Amino acid sequence: MAKGEGSESGSAAGLLPTGILQAAERPAQVKEPKKKQQLSICNKLCYAVGGAPYQVTGCALGFFLQIYLLDVAQVDPFSASIILFVGRAWDAFTDPLVGFCISKSSWTRLGRLMPWIIFSTPLAIIAYFLIWFVPDFPQGQALWYLLFYCLFETLVTCFHVPYSALTMFISTEQSERDSATAYRMTVEVLGTVLGTAIQGQIVGQADTPCLQDPNGSALASEGTNHTQSATSLKETQNAYLLAAGVIASIYVICAVILTLGVREQREPYETQQAEPMSFFRGLRLVMSHGPYVKLIAGFLFTSLAFMLVEGNFALFCTYTLGFRNEFQNLLLAIMLSATFTIPIWQWFLTRFGKKTAVYTGISSAVPFLILVAFMKSNLIITYVVAVAAGISVAAAFLLPWSMLPDVIDDFHLKQPQSHGTEPIFFSFYVFFTKFASGVSLGISTLSLDFAGYQTRGCSQPARVKFTLKMLVTIAPIVLILLGLLLFKLYPIDEEKRRQNKKDLQALREEASSSGCSDTDSTELARIL
């Protein structure tokens, strides 16, 4: 009897491959720890380079579009405010729309996110170039700029939302994602330096004509200086087109490097989910996640502060401080300072924690904004303030994107079956910031209109100078303080982040182990 049973077992065993037999015989064997997934420096650099197109184009538009519309394209201030507001508002609405479409996309050989980046790039650079082109029909200029501004913002969203979500798919290791984010932020700040340098230096070489008496511009245009003024204005328009062509080339090069150097990876537990979650259910879960709501509320106000400065800085330097030929160099000083400070902030947040870095980095802008508000026009002091302000700009660049993956990890622990929500997190984070910045830019341009802004004027009324000072100093200070107060409610400190990392790693190992067991069981059943 015993021999018969032993023979039967031996016969069955002879039909099975050794690997399957060993797996069946030793179910209690401890699984070897999975090797950590390390990203090479080349991988991180290729990923980081993908952040440059959004920043290069965004910096050029943010700093120069308002003054371009008012003084080069000669759009009236009210129409310019409509273009800036509607363009930013439309840009904000396209983020969740693109996030919805991405969440419905299926995985391909290139991944789920990469196809969006590849196919949007050529159309985006065409639309960007046409933003800086002055058409020959003056009556339809406002519609022209509104159309191509909205079109470009839609296409660049199709690039940037999947690129932002790619942070969660380049590695499953939180430390590697944080490191890649630091690389990305460094390159993005370099992108703003490139955008500022290219746009500012090329445009700065052209002498944009101004009118000593804007109210008599119609009579002056019929005088002897009309031809010279028209020629100078045409040179300025050509300078903007040249800068647009250079920036469009950088956009293409960076997109190619990103596509060739980065590969998407799926989470182990995501592949086990049979049916993806619907977008609206995912949106409801995301917007009810407390840490996410508190994070976007805090950064909403601080981002608005820096965007107000960005949108009005060129006009502020030109008319309030009187540095018409220096504002592009001041912008370059800010961005170079921010670039060199990014690694310091990465070390600081690693050493002291991200919440501490938020308070220290963003609040450091307040004393310098106060100094700008009360000081008289002095070029040397202005350069010192610009370099110091770059330190705070670096923190504002790095910290939001470094903290958002922590919120997503926390969400995955509380909703372990809710996958594919990463684009929703990133797209709505950008949505709230962009929409609010569109409102602020529209209001600021309207404020200049009400203050009596003179298009192409060599100088502006005192009310315009005062309005610009309020928009660049007092309003950002109030917004920064409100944002820092809201950050007191953000619950993910360093202890919570470390615990989440440990729990999430256990979830991944459990999912990987479950996946291997299911595969072995399937193969065993098929052979038997």
Side-chain angles (χ1 to χ4, degrees):
M1 188 78 170
K3 184 178 179 181
E5 291 175 358
S7 300
E8 198 171 306
S9 299
S11 300
L15 297 173
L16 300 177
T18 306
I20 300 297
L21 180 62
Q22 290 174 346
E25 289 177 347
R26 298 193 300 273
Q29 184 177 1
V30 177
K31 190 176 178 68
E32 289 186 8
K34 193 174 180 180
K35 192 174 182 180
K36 283 192 174 184
Q37 184 182 27
Q38 300 289 335
L39 293 174
S40 67
I41 293 178
C42 181
N43 291 141
K44 294 176 184 178
L45 285 174
C46 290
Y47 165 72
V49 163
Y54 181 78
Q55 295 300 334
V56 171
T57 56
C59 181
L61 289 168
F63 281 119
F64 292 92
L65 183 58
Q66 186 183 47
I67 196 170
Y68 168 79
L69 291 174
L70 293 173
D71 288 354
V72 180
Q74 300 182 40
V75 177
D76 65 271
F78 179 77
S79 298
S81 68
I82 297 297
I83 293 169
L84 293 171
F85 168 69
V86 175
R88 286 294 183 106
W90 173 256
D91 183 24
F93 279 111
T94 57
D95 282 283
L97 181 63
V98 170
F100 170 77
C101 295
I102 291 173
S103 69
K104 293 298 182 181
S105 301
S106 57
W107 282 81
T108 66
R109 275 193 315 145
L110 297 173
R112 185 174 60 170
L113 305 173
M114 280 297 185
W116 288 84
I117 294 172
I118 294 170
F119 293 114
S120 66
T121 296
L123 298 175
I125 60 173
I126 294 173
Y128 179 78
F129 186 81
L130 292 175
I131 290 174
W132 304 103
F133 177 76
V134 180
D136 291 332
F137 38 90
Q139 297 300 323
Q141 275 190 353
L143 184 60
W144 171 280
Y145 291 117
L146 180 60
L147 172 64
F148 286 107
Y149 187 31
C150 291
L151 180 60
F152 171 73
E153 294 295 355
T154 302
L155 292 167
V156 80
T157 297
C158 291
F159 181 103
H160 193 249
V161 168
Y163 171 73
S164 300
L166 192 61
T167 306
M168 304 302 296
F169 297 98
I170 57 174
S171 175
T172 57
E173 290 294 324
Q174 187 183 66
S175 59
E176 291 296 297
R177 293 201 304 256
D178 284 346
S179 176
T181 299
Y183 275 80
R184 171 191 166 188
M185 291 301 108
T186 303
V187 172
E188 287 196 358
V189 175
L190 281 172
T192 63
V193 172
L194 275 177
T196 303
I198 292 169
Q199 189 86 9
Q201 297 305 316
I202 293 177
V203 170
Q205 299 304 315
D207 183 20
T208 305
C210 64
L211 300 173
Q212 295 293 341
D213 184 12
N215 294 325
S217 58
L219 295 175
S221 65
E222 297 175 0
T224 57
N225 293 330
H226 171 69
T227 303
Q228 182 180 0
S229 177
T231 302
S232 182
L233 183 61
K234 187 66 176 177
E235 289 175 356
T236 304
Q237 293 171 358
N238 290 336
Y240 274 96
L241 285 177
L242 176 60
V246 175
I247 288 176
S249 301
I250 294 174
Y251 194 119
V252 174
I253 292 170
C254 293
V256 170
I257 293 173
L258 172 66
T259 304
L260 297 179
V262 177
R263 181 184 174 188
E264 280 184 68
Q265 301 178 28
R266 302 179 77 171
E267 285 277 15
Y269 52 79
E270 184 181 355
T271 58
Q272 298 179 15
Q273 188 173 350
E275 185 178 349
M277 177 181 297
S278 69
F279 175 82
F280 292 104
R281 180 167 179 264
L283 176 60
R284 187 170 63 252
L285 290 174
V286 166
M287 297 310 298
S288 62
H289 188 57
Y292 179 66
V293 174
K294 292 164 186 173
L295 180 73
I296 60 177
F299 275 116
L300 174 65
F301 288 97
T302 55
S303 298
L304 274 178
F306 288 101
M307 287 178 183
L308 267 179
V309 176
E310 177 187 81
N312 295 282
F313 188 77
L315 292 172
F316 176 72
C317 290
T318 301
Y319 296 115
T320 303
L321 298 181
F323 303 140
R324 175 178 289 273
N325 297 321
E326 289 290 335
F327 74 87
Q328 67 269 18
N329 298 323
L330 288 167
L331 290 177
L332 192 57
I334 293 173
M335 294 308 166
L336 284 173
S337 173
T339 302
F340 292 121
T341 313
I342 284 280
I344 299 175
W345 283 119
Q346 176 63 22
W347 169 83
F348 189 93
L349 67 87
T350 304
R351 178 70 176 80
F352 299 102
K354 297 179 182 179
K355 284 189 72 171
T356 304
V358 167
Y359 289 117
T360 306
I362 295 179
S363 63
S364 65
V366 174
F368 301 109
L369 291 174
I370 294 174
L371 180 60
V372 171
F374 291 102
M375 76 175 188
K376 293 185 178 180
S377 180
N378 185 301
L379 186 58
I380 296 176
I381 294 178
T382 304
Y383 269 105
V384 172
V385 171
V387 171
I391 299 172
S392 189
V393 170
F397 263 98
L398 176 64
L399 292 167
W401 299 109
S402 180
M403 297 172 76
L404 190 54
D406 300 338
V407 172
I408 297 175
D409 286 343
D410 186 73
F411 176 81
H412 283 160
L413 283 173
K414 294 178 180 176
Q415 303 286 343
Q417 300 303 316
S418 305
H419 307 301
T421 55
E422 291 84 1
I424 300 176
F425 274 100
F426 283 93
S427 61
F428 271 88
Y429 178 80
V430 178
F431 164 78
F432 288 109
T433 304
K434 286 182 177 178
F435 182 77
S437 70
V439 173
S440 68
L441 276 178
I443 291 175
S444 65
T445 311
L446 279 176
S447 300
L448 294 176
D449 188 24
F450 293 142
Y453 181 86
Q454 304 285 350
T455 302
R456 291 181 60 193
C458 292
S459 63
Q460 297 292 338
R463 286 187 304 171
V464 173
K465 295 178 181 180
F466 177 78
T467 301
L468 285 169
K469 180 172 284 191
M470 294 297 102
L471 292 172
V472 172
T473 57
I474 303 303
I477 290 172
V478 173
L479 291 170
I480 286 174
L481 295 177
L482 285 174
L484 293 178
L485 285 175
L486 287 170
F487 256 107
K488 296 290 289 183
L489 304 175
Y490 180 68
I492 302 179
D493 53 16
E494 286 305 295
E495 182 179 353
K496 176 69 172 175
R497 189 175 69 85
R498 284 192 290 267
Q499 184 61 44
N500 283 352
K501 178 181 177 181
K502 185 186 300 184
D503 295 343
L504 199 60
Q505 187 60 36
L507 180 64
R508 290 192 182 107
E509 291 175 358
E510 180 184 351
S512 299
S513 175
S514 174
C516 292
S517 300
D518 291 345
T519 303
D520 291 344
S521 300
T522 303
E523 187 174 352
L524 178 62
R526 180 179 60 79
I527 294 173
L528 287 175

